[in-house]
Structure formats: structure tokens, C-alpha cells
Amino acid sequence: MGNTFLSGGMKAVKYLLLFFNLIIFLAGATLAGLAIWLAVLYQNFQQMSISLAVVNYILIGIGVLIMLLGFFGCCGAAMENLCLLYTYSILLIIVLVAEIVLAILIFSFKERTEEEIHRMMIDYSTAGASSDKQDLMKKIEQQFNCCGIAGPTRTDCQDTNKQDCFTRFRDFIKQNQFVLGGVAIAFGLLEILGVVFACMLARNLQLGYVA
């Protein structure tokens, strides 16, 4: 049962927590949707790099988990339930730490992933590559309006006015890394605010705060 002995300030915190958890829920849905969209749009690259596929699936999982936490936090605030609020805070901290670890791993393995993509592209672009590999490379060329690798190397791709596919892929990463970083920081701030408001509300409920 909800606690009716909240001061005006704590009632404001309660509704702020509800509002922030709605934002967190929508942000989680956006992250999951964006990760699914990227998985579909860049599935050709993911066939070349296991690392990219793993990161993408992790992002989908984190997005879904954030959605569940947002719903969980809304329930805890609406019901003014101590157990739900403290559990929500702990889980949100765990998610925040996991996101920081994931960001560090992505940054640490960025060059290795690029090298893996470059090596696979060269392999897929050689004249002796299997038909499946050549078909995959053709799809990448069509999707990114690029041409082979550093040359280009393929006999059926001689439009030297087009950028090679690896450079196009690397430029895409560079162009979007700051946007992704900004989104990650925004997520982190939302989660920190969620933890702060949940702990404030839970603490005052526990103490039986009265105006």
C-alpha cells in the first residue's frame, strides 16, 4: 500500500521519479530499436566480424533491460514500496556499471575490430574468393556505394571515383562515434538521477518522513 505521509517535497520527488522512469523506459526502447535497426542495416558487416554482432546483441539486451527497469521503477514509485525502490536502485547501478564496462571494451577493441573487418574485406574481394563471399561484398558495395578495397582489388569493380569500402566503413564509425558517446552520457545521467531520486524517496519512506 502506498505511504500517505510524504511531504510536498517528497511527493515532488515521487512524481519526478515516475517521470524519469518513463524517460528511461522510452530511452531503453529507443536503444533496443536502434540496435535492431543497425543489426538489420549492417548485417553484411556483422557476417564479417563476430565482435560487431556480439556488441549489437549486447546493446539490444541492455535496451530491453533498461525498459524493464523503467517499468520496475515506475511501479516502485507509484506503490511507494521500499523493497521495489531499493532493488530498482541496485539493479540500475549494476546496469550503469555494465554500460561503462561495455564502453571501455568497445573502445579497447575498436582497432582490433577494424583490422578484422579490413582483413575479411580483402579476403572477400580477391578473385579466388567463394561465390558467397563475393556476393556479400557486392551487397556491401551496393549498400554503401563503395568499391572494393584500396584499389579497388576486384575485377568487376573498377569505378575508382568511388571510395573503397573499408574507408567508407571507418569514416561511418568516426562520424557517428561522438553522437553515440553523447547518447551514452545522456543514458548515464538519466540512470544516476533515477538512482538518486529512488534512494531519496525510499529513505524518507523508511524514516516515516512527515512534513
Side-chain angles (χ1 to χ4, degrees), residues 3-11 14 80 201 204-205 209-211:
N3 192 322
T4 59
F5 299 105
L6 287 175
S7 71
M10 283 302 104
K11 284 182 179 179
K14 170 184 173 178
E80 298 173 16
L201 182 59
N204 280 274
L205 287 170
Y209 182 80
V210 181

Side-chain angles (χ1 to χ4, degrees), residues 51-70:
S51 302
L52 284 178
V54 169
V55 167
N56 215 71
Y57 289 131
I58 290 175
L59 288 176
I60 293 173
I62 289 177
V64 172
L65 182 58
I66 289 174
M67 288 175 61
L68 293 174
L69 282 175

Side-chain angles (χ1 to χ4, degrees), residues 72 81-88:
F72 196 59
N81 186 290
L82 284 173
C83 182
L84 284 177
L85 287 170
Y86 279 129
T87 302
Y88 161 78

Side-chain angles (χ1 to χ4, degrees), residues 38-209:
L38 288 173
V40 174
L41 185 63
Y42 301 113
Q43 58 181 320
N44 295 324
F45 281 115
Q46 292 185 46
Q47 291 182 46
M48 290 185 174
S49 173
I50 296 177
S51 302
L52 284 178
V54 169
V55 167
N56 215 71
Y57 289 131
I58 290 175
L59 288 176
I60 293 173
I62 289 177
V64 172
L65 182 58
I66 289 174
M67 288 175 61
L68 293 174
L69 282 175
F71 177 76
F72 196 59
C74 283
C75 291
M79 297 170 62
E80 298 173 16
N81 186 290
L82 284 173
C83 182
L84 284 177
L85 287 170
Y86 279 129
T87 302
Y88 161 78
S89 299
I90 293 170
L91 291 176
L92 202 54
I93 291 172
I94 292 173
V95 170
L96 182 60
V97 171
E99 290 171 348
I100 293 172
V101 171
L102 178 61
I104 293 172
L105 288 175
I106 291 174
F107 181 78
S108 301
F109 289 95
K110 177 176 175 288
E111 291 186 4
R112 183 179 299 180
T113 301
E114 287 184 356
E115 291 175 358
E116 181 183 0
I117 291 288
H118 187 245
R119 185 174 62 253
M120 295 296 288
M121 280 186 173
I122 292 175
D123 178 48
Y124 283 35
S125 298
T126 58
S130 67
S131 59
D132 289 341
K133 290 182 178 180
Q134 292 190 25
D135 288 343
L136 179 59
M137 195 64 200
K138 286 180 182 178
K139 290 178 182 178
I140 290 175
E141 289 171 346
Q142 293 171 358
Q143 184 177 6
F144 285 87
N145 193 29
C146 57
C147 191
I149 305 296
T153 58
R154 289 188 48 214
T155 57
D156 61 340
C157 181
Q158 295 297 331
D159 187 352
T160 55
N161 292 321
K162 291 183 178 180
Q163 199 173 34
D164 75 271
C165 293
F166 176 71
T167 302
R168 180 62 61 88
F169 167 75
R170 188 172 55 189
D171 288 349
F172 172 81
I173 297 298
K174 289 181 179 179
Q175 290 168 4
N176 292 278
Q177 62 184 355
F178 295 110
V179 175
L180 294 174
V183 171
I185 291 172
F187 266 101
L189 291 175
L190 280 175
E191 290 162 358
I192 290 171
L193 286 172
V195 171
V196 171
F197 286 142
C199 289
M200 287 175 62
L201 182 59
R203 181 62 176 168
N204 280 274
L205 287 170
Q206 190 174 18
L207 294 174
Y209 182 80

